[in-house]
Amino acid sequence: MSSIIQLLPDHVANQIAAGEVVQRPASVVKELLENAVDAGATEIKLIVKDAGKTLVQVIDNGKGMSVTDARLCFERHATSKIRHAEDLFDLHTKGFRGEALASIAAIAHVELKTRQDQEELGTHLIIEGSKFTSQEVAVVPKGTSFSVKNLFYNIPARRNFLKSDTVEFRHIIDEFERVALAHANIGFMLYHNGSEMFNLPGSNTRQRIVNIFGGRTNEKLVPIKESTEIVGIHGFVTKPEFAKKSRGEQFFFANDRFIKSGYLHHAVMAAYEGLLKEGCQPAYYIYLDVPPNTIDINIHPTKTEVKFDDEHALYAILRSSIKHSLGQFNVAPVLDFDRDNNLDTPYEYEQREAVMPTVQVDRTFNPFADEKPVRAASSASTYSAPSFRKEKQPAWESLYTGIPEAAEELEGISFETEEVTGSLFNDNEVEQAVYKTYQIHKKYIVSPIKSGLLIIDQKRAHQRILYEQFLTNITVHHAASQQLLFPLVLHYNKSELDLIREMREALENTGFVFAEINHDHIVVSGLPVNVAESEVSILLEELINDLQQEVPDTSFSQSDSIAKSMAKSLAVKTGTYMNEKEQENMVNALFACKEPDVSPFQRPTFITVSVEDLDKRFAI
């Protein structure tokens, strides 16, 4: 009987490994950028076309590779980072498993140009689907240039599962920002479809954060710094008043490697306890320096999840250092035991006794006297109280003079009474009084109907009303707008501004008017009629956050997402009091909608309780 277990061919094994290493174009960007950093580059250029589906190219000025290394780097488990198993617990580099380039070469067309500094000529390699098609000597600049073209060309199913260009490019920016923040001393550049997106010169950490996320970020930052035997902590957190609804700008770096840790995030939130509004998240950029032998970074294929030896101590140190920094920079209240010398008693007052104050009372003062007598001047003071003359008022008995005579005149008068023959209200008015609406717990609106009761969720009902209004305005390209006397200036980073530019037409159809969209801010000169000026920043922030999660391909789906996000942000919240007129308007507007029974998020907006159901409950 023949054996059924066989070794897989290399190209098949590489494609399987690519399923773990290369999930999307952003995975290629991450691997190539980390290789450039490990090569000792001081300038790294990233060039992307069609969100990485057509081209991902990374050019660095690092130490380059020899002819043998250039060919060997595409083999499986070939790496220059480790030599022995013990090296896994003393890592000072990014990549170490030696699978990335082999996996990328298995599913794309790869072109490599590299030259070492001491060599006059370099190497030019072309690989298609793990097969070397060309290798020749070439004149190339010092360093390495990796070009990855037509990603997933030989796996159509994987290519079809890629999202829209907007979503994929958002992931590329995320990976680019993580590497750029971890290495502020290296210059980074990013080009997408021929346009320069980022040009970050080598600088310090604070300047790198400001260059990525905008100039207004500098005023939000609070530095943190702590050094212990277990961990060294440095970086920045933001002031509580700049917290956002989304968890966007939150970065942990362990030994200059981006990581994700819900446990450490909880430590940050614990440090902000009592300082944040409900549902808000602070931004932070925290760098942890731990001994390499106390951290395991090989527990996840993407190496973003790590394991620390003493997480509890790390939690406590991180929490206390952030809390100390917030108090030190007068962001949070602290107990200050430093004494102000200006409050000390002067030396010349040391032997003096306290002098009791003298109180003078005018014993002759009579508020009911017609005229206040003048107080005689004393030897201590020549003060005389002013005299007040009180006008003489008639006695209170005079108010009732003439009453008996008038009463005697009224004794002979008889009053005619009318018999009430009908109701003050007609039947329609009585029916309207019966069918009034009521609000329960500032959450539900109850309205009687012929068959029983109608109970409406005010938040979901208002979401449905606003959603259909916004969707109609976007589709018909006609919406009312209120002009602002003083335009609003709102600051955003580059990726958020790109998203606003893409959605500008749809937003203007809802009633927004953008006077200017600059490289780091926008100017809003007009708003939809149902949007208050104070709600604009919150509304746009939540809209950007929702659209960053998933931007659909079709324009209708984009409009639908915008309408849903705006309806969710502007709908009346649970706990809001509504008067009777507002309740009636909401009920009438809800049942004027095309789909009044569900919210835009497919939740029921109302329920009905019939009289029969009530009778059954009372029959128990």
Side-chain angles (χ1 to χ4, degrees), residues 21 84 117 185-186 210 237 296 312 402 503 531 546 597 605 610:
V21 179
H84 308 286
D117 190 18
N185 59 319
I186 301 176
V210 172
V237 295
D296 187 0
H312 296 288
M503 301 298 168
V531 178
D546 291 341
D597 53 338
T605 57
S610 64

Side-chain angles (χ1 to χ4, degrees), residues 51 53 162-170 550-553:
K53 299 174 184 177
L162 294 178
K163 304 295 184 181
S164 64
D165 286 358
T166 306
V167 176
E168 295 297 339
F169 187 59
R170 174 68 249 176
E550 181 64 39
V551 180
D553 294 325

Side-chain angles (χ1 to χ4, degrees), residues 105-161:
I107 55 174
H109 297 160
V110 179
E111 185 176 356
L112 170 63
K113 298 177 182 178
T114 182
R115 180 177 72 85
Q116 293 178 318
D117 190 18
Q118 66 272 16
E119 301 291 337
E120 294 184 359
L121 297 176
T123 306
H124 183 196
L125 281 174
I126 298 178
I127 304 174
E128 296 181 0
S130 296
K131 296 180 179 179
F132 288 86
T133 61
S134 174
Q135 177 177 351
E136 56 186 12
V137 178
V139 178
V140 294
K142 170 185 174 292
T144 304
S145 171
F146 267 103
S147 299
V148 180
K149 305 175 183 178
N150 304 322
L151 193 65
F152 298 125
Y153 80 100
N154 53 355
I155 311 178
R158 289 290 301 274
R159 190 176 181 89
N160 292 336
F161 274 101

Side-chain angles (χ1 to χ4, degrees), residues 56-73:
V56 173
Q57 184 177 8
V58 174
I59 304 173
D60 67 71
N61 62 348
K63 56 188 176 184
M65 291 183 285
S66 65
V67 178
T68 305
D69 289 342
R71 190 174 182 97
L72 193 60
C73 70

Side-chain angles (χ1 to χ4, degrees), residues 62-347:
K63 56 188 176 184
M65 291 183 285
S66 65
V67 178
T68 305
D69 289 342
R71 190 174 182 97
L72 193 60
C73 70
F74 291 100
E75 299 295 332
R76 292 189 67 201
H77 306 303
T79 179
S80 62
K81 315 298 174 59
I82 60 175
R83 290 288 183 270
H84 308 286
E86 292 77 11
D87 295 340
L88 290 173
F89 304 100
D90 190 25
L91 289 171
H92 299 275
T93 58
K94 305 296 182 183
F96 53 87
R97 289 198 297 254
E99 292 180 325
L101 296 182
S103 301
I104 294 171
I107 55 174
H109 297 160
V110 179
E111 185 176 356
L112 170 63
K113 298 177 182 178
T114 182
R115 180 177 72 85
Q116 293 178 318
D117 190 18
Q118 66 272 16
E119 301 291 337
E120 294 184 359
L121 297 176
T123 306
H124 183 196
L125 281 174
I126 298 178
I127 304 174
E128 296 181 0
S130 296
K131 296 180 179 179
F132 288 86
T133 61
S134 174
Q135 177 177 351
E136 56 186 12
V137 178
V139 178
V140 294
K142 170 185 174 292
T144 304
S145 171
F146 267 103
S147 299
V148 180
K149 305 175 183 178
N150 304 322
L151 193 65
F152 298 125
Y153 80 100
N154 53 355
I155 311 178
R158 289 290 301 274
R159 190 176 181 89
N160 292 336
F161 274 101
L162 294 178
K163 304 295 184 181
S164 64
D165 286 358
T166 306
V167 176
E168 295 297 339
F169 187 59
R170 174 68 249 176
H171 287 286
I172 290 176
I173 290 180
D174 288 342
E175 296 294 347
F176 178 83
E177 290 175 350
R178 292 167 182 174
V179 178
L181 286 172
H183 302 278
N185 59 319
I186 301 176
F188 288 88
M189 288 173 281
L190 171 59
Y191 297 88
H192 183 224
N193 293 336
S195 300
E196 182 183 274
M197 305 300 297
F198 289 95
N199 190 348
L200 310 174
S203 59
N204 55 34
T205 303
R206 188 180 195 121
Q207 190 62 43
R208 175 57 53 88
I209 294 172
V210 172
N211 288 338
I212 293 178
F213 298 105
R216 293 294 297 273
T217 309
N218 190 37
E219 66 187 52
K220 307 176 185 179
L221 300 179
V222 175
I224 60 173
K225 189 173 182 62
E226 191 69 41
S227 180
T228 65
E229 295 179 357
I230 299 175
V231 62
I233 301 174
H234 68 280
F236 299 90
V237 295
T238 54
K239 299 176 182 177
E241 60 265 29
F242 295 104
K244 298 182 179 180
K245 295 285 186 180
S246 61
R247 294 181 56 176
E249 300 170 13
Q250 296 180 344
F251 298 90
F252 280 114
F253 299 94
N255 296 347
D256 292 336
R257 182 191 301 274
F258 173 79
I259 64 171
K260 296 178 181 178
S261 175
Y263 189 66
L264 296 181
H265 172 74
H266 190 275
V268 177
M269 297 303 295
Y272 276 92
E273 186 177 2
L275 300 177
L276 297 175
K277 297 180 181 178
E278 186 178 357
C280 290
Q281 298 277 341
Y284 52 79
Y285 319 86
I286 299 175
Y287 299 79
L288 309 175
D289 296 323
V290 298
N293 60 344
T294 64
I295 181 175
D296 187 0
I297 60 178
N298 198 29
I299 65 173
H300 193 272
T302 61
K303 292 172 284 188
T304 56
E305 297 180 13
V306 299
K307 181 68 176 176
F308 296 97
D309 280 357
D310 195 352
E311 286 188 333
H312 296 288
L314 190 59
Y315 181 100
I317 295 172
L318 179 61
R319 178 179 176 273
S320 61
S321 62
I322 295 175
K323 209 171 188 64
H324 174 71
S325 294
L326 292 176
Q328 184 180 6
F329 288 89
N330 297 326
V331 176
V334 295
L335 292 175
D336 188 3
F337 295 101
D338 292 336
R339 186 179 64 180
D340 189 355
N341 295 329
N342 295 326
L343 300 179
D344 292 343
T345 304
Y347 289 112

